[in-house]
Amino acid sequence: MDDLIFLVENMSDEFDVIVVGAGPAGYVAAIRAAQNGLKTLCLDNWTNYDGGTALGGTCLNAGCIPSKALLESSELYHRAREEFAVHGISTGEVAIDVAAMQKRKAGIVSQLTGGIAALFKANKVTAMQGTGCFLGGGKVEFTSHDGDKKTLSARHVVLATGSRPVELSAVPFDGETIVDSWGALEFDSVPPRLGVIGGGVIGLELGSVWSRLGSEVTVLEAMDDFLFMADRQVAKDAQRQFKRQGLDIRLGAMVKSANKGKKGVELTYEDKKGSQTVTVDKVVVAVGRHPYTDGLLGEGAGVEMDERGFIKVDDECRTTAPDVWAVGDVVRGPMLAHKGSEEGVMVADLIAGEVSEVNYDVIPSVIYTAPEIAWVGKTEEQATEAGVPYKVGTFSFAANGRAKGMEQAVGMVKMIVSAADDEILGVHIIGPMAGELIGEMVVAMEFSASAEDIQRIIHAHPTLSEAIHEAALAADGRAIHAINK
Ligand code: NAD
């Protein structure tokens, strides 16, 4: 990555825009700003385990991308062992080579992080590896990894420093047996017993990876409700399916301590029955993420934070300091790469004087388990709470020909529709390729589509998307391939 760092001595220190952070929010903001003709600098201090630097932040180096690589490998291994025989395919013994799996993952990560470097070059974004501190008055102090300092200035500053895993004081990370989500993506062998603290998105995705590869996985989740942010009906279905896959999910389990001994790590937790223990070989702590602002703001920055440590912003991502913007995980809203990227685009366009906005009501969520879980808009519970009269259409993948052919005929599509004007309020999918299918519903909701719009759109046969078509029909009791209630 060193060839990317344009030597500071050889360039002017004045920019139109300085972006601090090159994750999906920051690097996208920088590219769009440069596309808008603005002289743009992007600073980033990411350091990998091997000491190397890379663009792309958590998403590319330690989150979305490496986890999806391992989810795919582990799913294929699992299917080869458990499912191929049903198709009449015999393989002999199927084995997993964790080193090869990790090498493939690392290759994908380096291709994509290198891709950002190439995009920066092509768009004439200047990149510098090191830490940025916003001092106020358009000044940013840059400290290189070697400790050299330089003060740079810009008309606009965009803060995009992302988030870091929350550490539990009772279960501190040791980088070896008790790790965060990044550590759990780097295991060099399959832990026989894996404890996952937190049954959220990360806990379920990483728990699935290692469970498919042979770990006995115990998930300890503090809340009584499983996947509290998802639609209840979908969450229940998911819980049933994960249990069937062998994930031991213990709800209402508040972890109190971890003791390392010869037999492994003993986790003590409290649940309704009192104090319980489980002994595991490795522990992943996945209890959420904190906005990351350490050392980001100098005394004169004038950038206010909220009580939870997020940088305060308005709907257009303006901070409390003039011409200072903040985007991505470091500001309110879901910690999702695509939300951050769209905020980055919006801010870069607003700086260039264009009209731009993000529709926070239509942000898709995807959990990349098998089956996948995806949704957009309101859950049924949120519709009830809002007092909106609604109707519901559901359709099961068990009656979808493509899903049957894929040997993945589980789950359903659920559509929540306004009873007053037929507008789609929310769509929830658990099933094969849910994360891809939800795209149609994001487009539909962006255009304020009605259930009737979806009913009248031709969906190719045989495809998984027919389940969406049928769920829209079911909202009016007109599904063709199901008995309407
Ligand atoms: P999360 O908020 O999704 O889940 C954390 C879970 O930990 C919660 O269910 C919480 O109740 C539980 N918890 C908290 N303290 C606990 C304790 N002491 N004992 C037991 N359980 C406890 O957070 P995450 O899974 O760490 O993910 C962090 C962020 O990253 C989220 O905002 C998530 O949306 C995002 N992310 C998204 C994706 C994706 O889009 N597929 C993937 C990974 C991460």
Side-chain angles (χ1 to χ4, degrees), residues 63-64 67-68 163 165-166 168 171 181 196-205 220-229 250 252-256 269 285-290 329 333-338 364-368 373:
C64 315
S67 65
K68 267 76 244 173
S163 60
V166 169
L168 290 176
V171 192
S181 50
V196 178
I197 306 181
V201 183
I202 294 182
L204 291 173
E205 291 184 356
L220 301 175
E221 165 56 49
M223 308 263 286
D224 292 327
D225 282 338
F226 182 61
L227 278 181
F228 65 92
M229 64 290 206
R250 304 186 189 177
M254 181 59 88
V255 177
K256 295 290 175 192
Y269 63 95
V285 180
V287 295
R289 298 178 63 89
H290 262 317
D329 283 8
M335 287 186 173
L336 296 171
H338 43 276
S365 293
V366 183
I367 306 179
Y368 296 86
I373 302 166

Side-chain angles (χ1 to χ4, degrees), residues 226 237-249:
F226 182 61
D237 194 357
Q239 190 179 357
R240 211 183 50 241
Q241 298 201 40
F242 296 150
K243 191 174 171 192
R244 198 180 302 152
Q245 290 168 14
L247 286 183
D248 179 356
I249 299 170

Side-chain angles (χ1 to χ4, degrees), residues 13-14 18 133-142 151-155 157 296 298 301:
D13 302 339
E14 306 267 332
I18 295 178
C133 172
F134 176 61
L135 303 173
K139 300 274 181 239
V140 175
E141 183 184 67
F142 169 75
T151 302
L152 309 161
S153 62
R155 290 194 297 114
V157 174
L296 175 65

Side-chain angles (χ1 to χ4, degrees), residues 217-290:
V217 175
T218 307
V219 179
L220 301 175
E221 165 56 49
M223 308 263 286
D224 292 327
D225 282 338
F226 182 61
L227 278 181
F228 65 92
M229 64 290 206
D231 184 272
R232 285 302 80 210
Q233 196 179 349
V234 167
K236 271 205 186 100
D237 194 357
Q239 190 179 357
R240 211 183 50 241
Q241 298 201 40
F242 296 150
K243 191 174 171 192
R244 198 180 302 152
Q245 290 168 14
L247 286 183
D248 179 356
I249 299 170
R250 304 186 189 177
L251 298 176
M254 181 59 88
V255 177
K256 295 290 175 192
S257 66
N259 288 306
K260 285 185 261 179
K262 280 200 186 114
K263 289 186 179 159
V265 187
E266 186 184 70
L267 294 172
T268 303
Y269 63 95
E270 297 269 346
D271 68 7
K272 279 190 193 123
K273 292 184 203 140
S275 184
Q276 318 266 1
T277 59
V278 57
T279 304
V280 294
D281 301 292
K282 298 257 188 201
V283 178
V284 187
V285 180
V287 295
R289 298 178 63 89
H290 262 317

